[in-house]
């Protein structure tokens, strides 16, 4: 009986690290990132998701970061000036029935892989204006 308990505890102890491991972030099955062709009126098109195809065209790196991290471009600080100049096309294959949040994580992983993007969130004081009412507000 004690031999059986010892073997069971070994199996349980050996299986704990497997359950404690974090699931790796989702990745595109295949992806192509290239510089967009020059056009007169350039603006971001997409992201489009049809079946297993994911597509973004004419996007600046700042727009790709904003899309991947669900942030406004004004909330992204740092980086070189080309973040707002160079435009890229992203064409990728997603796993079947992938959700929007999973596609955002896939785009994050793609940006980290292809551009060595390192992002972190930070809270720091920023200058801002506040509209306040005076002592005798006459707004109606």
């Amino acid at each position: 009986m004690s031999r059986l308990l010892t073997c069971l505890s070994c199996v349980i102890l050996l299986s704990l690290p497997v359950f404690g491991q974090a699931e790796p972030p989702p990745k595109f099955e295949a992806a192509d990132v290239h510089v967009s062709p020059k056009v007169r009126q350039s603006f971001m098109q997409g992201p489009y998701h049809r079946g297993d195809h994911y597509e973004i065209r004419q996007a600046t790196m700042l727009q790709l970061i904003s899309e991947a991290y669900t942030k406004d471009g004004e909330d992204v600080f740092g980086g070189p000036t080309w973040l707002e100049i160079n435009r890229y096309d992203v064409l990728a294959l997603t796993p079947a029935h992938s959700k929007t949040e999973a596609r955002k994580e896939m785009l994050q992983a793609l940006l980290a892989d292809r551009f060595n993007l390192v992002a972190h969130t930070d809270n720091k004081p920023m200058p801002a204006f506040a509209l306040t009412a005076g002592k005798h507000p006459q707004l109606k």
Side-chain angles (χ1 to χ4, degrees), residues 52-90:
D52 62 348
H53 288 76
Y54 181 79
E55 180 179 340
I56 299 176
R57 295 200 180 265
Q58 294 288 328
T60 64
M61 183 57 64
L62 186 60
Q63 290 170 325
L64 291 174
I65 293 169
S66 297
E67 178 63 32
Y69 290 94
T70 317
K71 296 288 182 189
D72 189 15
E74 296 174 358
D75 293 337
V76 177
F77 295 96
T81 56
W82 61 264
L83 288 180
E84 297 182 63
I85 299 170
N86 297 350
R87 295 193 170 268
Y88 299 93
D89 292 345
V90 176

Side-chain angles (χ1 to χ4, degrees), residues 4 21 24 27-29 32 34 38 44-45 53-54 75 82 88-90 100 109 116 118 134-135 137 139:
L4 178 62
Q21 292 177 351
K27 291 190 174 189
F28 291 117
E29 292 177 356
D32 179 34
H34 56 272
K38 300 285 183 197
M44 183 174 138
Q45 301 169 11
H53 288 76
Y54 181 79
D75 293 337
W82 61 264
Y88 299 93
D89 292 345
V90 176
T100 303
N116 295 323
V118 177
K135 293 185 179 186
L139 297 173

